[in-house]
Amino acid sequence: ICVQVWESNPALRDWLNVNADASEVEKSKWKYYMINKGPWSCLDENQAFLTTKDSAVRLIPEATKTVSGWKGLEYKAAFPTLKPPGANFYPPDMDKMEFELWKNKLSQQDDATSFFTVIKRHSEGFSSSDHTISKTSHLADTGDLFTVPYSTEYKYFLTKAAELLHKAGDLASSPSLKRLLHSKADAFLSNDYYDSDIAWMELDSKLDVTIGPYETYEDSIFGYKATFEAFVGIRDDKATAQLKMFGENLQVLEQNLPMDNAYKSQDIHVAPIRVIRLLYNAGDVKGPQTVAFNLPNDERIVKDRGTSMVMLKNVSEAKFKHILRPIADACISAGQNKLVDFDSFFTHTICHECCHGIGPHTITLPDGKKSTVRKELQELHSALEEAKADIVGLWALKFLIRQGLLPRSLEESMYVSFLAGCFRSVRFGLEEAHGKGEAVQFNWMFEKGAFVLHPNETFSVDFTKVDDAVESLSREILTIQAKGDKGAASLLLQKYCKLTPPLKLALQKLENIQVPVDIAPTFPLAAEILQQ
């Protein structure tokens, strides 16, 4: 993830690490860099939290001719104040128009929009992490731009990772874990992740492992390119068994979604759900810590096999205790405060992840062309998809309650816990997909009268209006996705993705009493193993 965020990021990381012991200030810079995996704060609209003087000093020892006593040229590799929207996936001077013109000339456009390629320029030469790559070996090559598969671009790292995964696979006693580790190692070198992602979905092991390029949040130009991440945990068998009902009812939920029947899929697959206690994570785990994930994102697999969900229960527990409970105490009215509970928070998280697996994915455009929601909505996709999973997750909870599959005791607590959760996620910032999605939901619900602000500056849910508000927003987002309507998506985000006065009021209250924005987990077991 370090080199995927920004080209000179590894040099900055090493520089900050070497100087971390110089003072408490330098140590704080290093710690916050590791939380953000770069010099921009994820929780502050990606504002730079370092200054030019923190830039890494780099040495160029080469010279055009031999000079006695020459040791090299030292210079500061300054970072851009504005975070590059394309991270390190595209040339920094490339814009959307250039990309689209180039892509449309390609015989294999999938290479350009693939999760697992980077885009380079011939005119800038070509260097990657500690190695040089031939320009002539890539299919998507016309004009100045060309594609490079991850297996080539990150060969130095992936070769080592594959070697270690094969060793781990040889040691694994679980057949499904052995299969996963070996197939993922092969995928790192071949750039074909299909079989390894199927192996991940079918994993049945006490030791739960997720590793590979998955999420596309870092690519804010198009939302095409995936970043590498890893999660290792111990499966909670009792909690996993209790959640079987959610995965088994996805087709029923799909058929009852609040959108036109023409857009509904007839072949939703049962989604395996695993609950784990997280032991370690790495890679693209910067900024807000995830409490769950629904993977893979590859639309081919979603269509053929569906998705699988992993819930990080100990992370959810920590966020509820240290963040959501204090938010509820500060922002929720006295009459509804006690309705905010962990079961409602965790159950909605489950439904959120389930709802990533239903609704539009592969779509048919008005001209009859097949496409995907991701490709049509591009950089708007992540925020709208997070909003969809959240709001349709609420709708799904109410549907399951009505079907007698969940207790009626959740009916009010799920809405009030969700209201408190809006303030939690909006604090991630409006440059982050979850923060954007949460702002859209809160402002829609407030406009419809489902969320109410009281004179004493606390909030409550109007239970007579909330069902209709949830259903109307669900229908709005699902229809935009089904049509691949980027214009409508943009209008929705422009209108509702903003810090309105009620949101500003709540966020200021939380700032005044210093409620943490998020948690920064430590992994003592992993540290102990590394010291051995």
Side-chain angles (χ1 to χ4, degrees):
I1 178 63
C2 184
V3 72
Q4 289 186 294
V5 171
W6 171 53
E7 184 179 14
S8 295
N9 213 14
L12 177 60
R13 175 199 60 198
D14 296 343
W15 172 258
L16 292 171
N17 187 20
V18 167
N19 290 278
D21 293 330
S23 69
E24 287 301 313
V25 171
E26 297 303 318
K27 184 176 294 185
S28 296
K29 290 176 182 177
W30 167 242
K31 287 182 178 179
Y32 201 56
Y33 172 89
M34 290 303 293
I35 288 174
N36 290 280
K37 304 295 191 289
W40 305 280
S41 175
C42 302
L43 303 179
D44 296 294
E45 313 289 329
N46 286 326
Q47 292 182 20
F49 63 89
L50 298 176
T51 64
T52 304
K53 79 179 188 66
D54 299 308
S55 300
V57 173
R58 303 185 70 176
L59 173 68
I60 301 179
E62 295 85 2
T64 56
K65 62 180 181 179
T66 304
V67 178
S68 177
W70 171 263
K71 294 182 179 179
L73 176 68
E74 281 192 343
Y75 72 99
K76 284 201 167 187
F79 57 87
T81 303
L82 297 178
K83 187 175 185 291
N88 197 24
F89 301 122
Y90 309 93
D93 61 343
M94 186 204 77
D95 60 22
K96 285 187 176 183
M97 182 177 293
E98 180 185 10
F99 179 89
E100 293 292 352
L101 289 172
W102 165 72
K103 183 192 74 173
N104 292 336
K105 295 177 183 177
L106 300 175
S107 57
Q108 292 289 334
Q109 294 188 9
D110 288 348
D111 284 346
T113 60
S114 168
F115 288 106
F116 316 124
T117 62
V118 296
I119 312 301
K120 298 286 186 179
R121 283 194 190 283
H122 287 305
S123 58
E124 293 181 352
F126 187 73
S127 63
S128 188
S129 305
D130 295 342
H131 56 275
T132 302
I133 302 167
S134 169
K135 303 174 189 175
T136 60
S137 61
H138 311 294
L139 294 175
D141 182 355
T142 179
D144 195 26
L145 299 177
F146 65 100
T147 64
V148 182
Y150 280 9
S151 54
T152 303
E153 172 71 357
Y154 308 124
K155 184 177 181 180
Y156 174 81
F157 305 106
L158 294 179
T159 300
K160 180 63 175 177
E163 178 185 332
L164 294 172
L165 285 172
H166 277 310
K167 287 182 179 179
D170 290 340
L171 295 172
S173 58
S174 162
S176 65
L177 179 59
K178 183 183 291 289
R179 175 191 170 202
L180 169 65
L181 296 173
H182 284 305
S183 63
K184 194 63 72 173
D186 292 340
F188 280 177
L189 302 182
S190 70
N191 217 50
D192 183 353
Y193 287 87
Y194 191 97
D195 289 342
S196 70
D197 280 341
I198 298 296
W200 176 80
M201 293 178 69
E202 295 176 350
L203 180 63
D204 182 13
S205 167
K206 190 70 175 178
L207 180 65
D208 198 277
V209 177
T210 300
I211 185 169
Y214 285 111
E215 304 293 5
T216 61
Y217 303 125
E218 195 67 27
D219 176 5
S220 58
I221 295 183
F222 292 111
Y224 291 157
K225 307 304 177 185
T227 47
F228 286 87
E229 60 186 33
F231 295 86
V232 179
I234 298 297
R235 188 177 65 193
D236 184 329
D237 291 325
K238 181 179 178 181
T240 296
Q242 291 172 342
L243 300 186
K244 192 176 180 182
M245 177 273 294
F246 291 95
E248 291 176 342
N249 279 277
L250 289 188
Q251 186 65 66
V252 177
L253 291 172
E254 174 78 17
Q255 293 311 118
N256 287 276
L257 284 174
M259 67 175 178
D260 193 293
N261 287 333
Y263 301 135
K264 296 176 182 177
S265 174
Q266 301 300 318
D267 56 355
I268 298 295
H269 302 274
V270 173
I273 304 176
R274 309 194 293 265
V275 180
I276 70 170
R277 305 196 77 81
L278 184 67
L279 297 178
Y280 182 75
N281 66 17
D284 189 11
V285 293
K286 61 190 180 64
Q289 293 293 304
T290 188
V291 296
F293 45 87
N294 182 304
L295 298 171
N297 290 319
D298 188 333
E299 290 90 354
R300 299 173 305 160
I301 299 176
V302 174
K303 182 180 179 181
D304 294 346
R305 299 290 298 269
T307 59
S308 185
M309 287 162 263
V310 176
M311 318 295 297
L312 313 180
K313 193 168 185 180
N314 54 339
V315 178
S316 294
E317 290 168 343
K319 291 206 179 198
F320 183 84
K321 177 181 177 181
H322 297 291
I323 301 172
L324 196 63
R325 186 66 259 171
I327 287 175
D329 292 339
C331 296
I332 304 301
S333 66
Q336 295 187 359
N337 183 285
K338 288 184 170 54
L339 290 172
V340 178
D341 59 35
F342 178 74
D343 285 344
S344 299
F345 170 60
F346 190 62
T347 306
H348 177 251
T349 302
I350 296 165
C351 264
H352 171 107
E353 297 305 328
C354 284
C355 289
H356 277 308
I358 61 175
H361 290 277
T362 300
I363 59 176
T364 303
L365 300 177
D367 62 3
K369 177 185 173 184
K370 291 286 186 183
S371 187
T372 66
V373 178
R374 177 176 69 93
K375 288 181 180 178
E376 296 306 313
L377 299 190
Q378 296 182 334
E379 79 279 6
L380 306 182
H381 170 63
S382 290
L384 210 66
E385 176 62 22
E386 291 304 327
K388 180 217 63 177
D390 244 5
I391 201 69
V392 176
L394 272 184
W395 170 87
L397 281 176
K398 187 59 179 280
F399 178 85
L400 293 171
I401 289 170
R402 286 171 175 163
Q403 299 300 305
L405 295 171
L406 287 174
R408 287 204 169 270
S409 59
L410 281 173
E411 201 159 2
E412 292 186 346
S413 62
M414 69 181 190
Y415 286 134
V416 184
S417 296
F418 175 77
L419 170 57
C422 285
F423 303 132
R424 179 183 73 87
S425 297
V426 167
R427 298 177 84 205
F428 297 157
L430 299 189
E431 291 296 321
E432 195 272 342
H434 299 80
K436 287 180 179 179
E438 210 70 67
V440 168
Q441 294 169 86
F442 176 88
N443 289 325
W444 180 285
M445 304 284 275
F446 191 84
E447 179 185 86
K448 305 301 181 187
F451 292 164
V452 179
L453 173 60
H454 300 285
N456 67 351
E457 299 184 347
T458 62
F459 295 80
S460 66
V461 175
D462 185 333
F463 297 116
T464 67
K465 297 179 179 179
V466 70
D467 286 347
D468 288 343
V470 167
E471 184 163 325
S472 64
L473 181 55
S474 297
R475 180 177 292 105
E476 180 80 10
I477 294 176
L478 288 166
T479 303
I480 289 172
Q481 291 185 320
K483 293 180 177 180
D485 191 341
K486 188 176 181 182
S490 180
L491 289 174
L492 182 70
L493 289 167
Q494 285 174 26
K495 182 175 181 181
Y496 293 101
C497 183
K498 56 182 66 174
L499 282 182
T500 53
L503 277 176
K504 289 180 180 178
L505 174 67
L507 299 190
Q508 188 58 55
K509 288 184 71 174
L510 299 176
E511 182 68 24
N512 292 343
I513 62 174
Q514 293 290 290
V515 175
V517 175
D518 203 51
I519 61 172
T522 57
F523 304 108
L525 179 59
E528 183 180 323
I529 292 172
L530 288 173
Q531 290 175 357
Q532 292 177 355

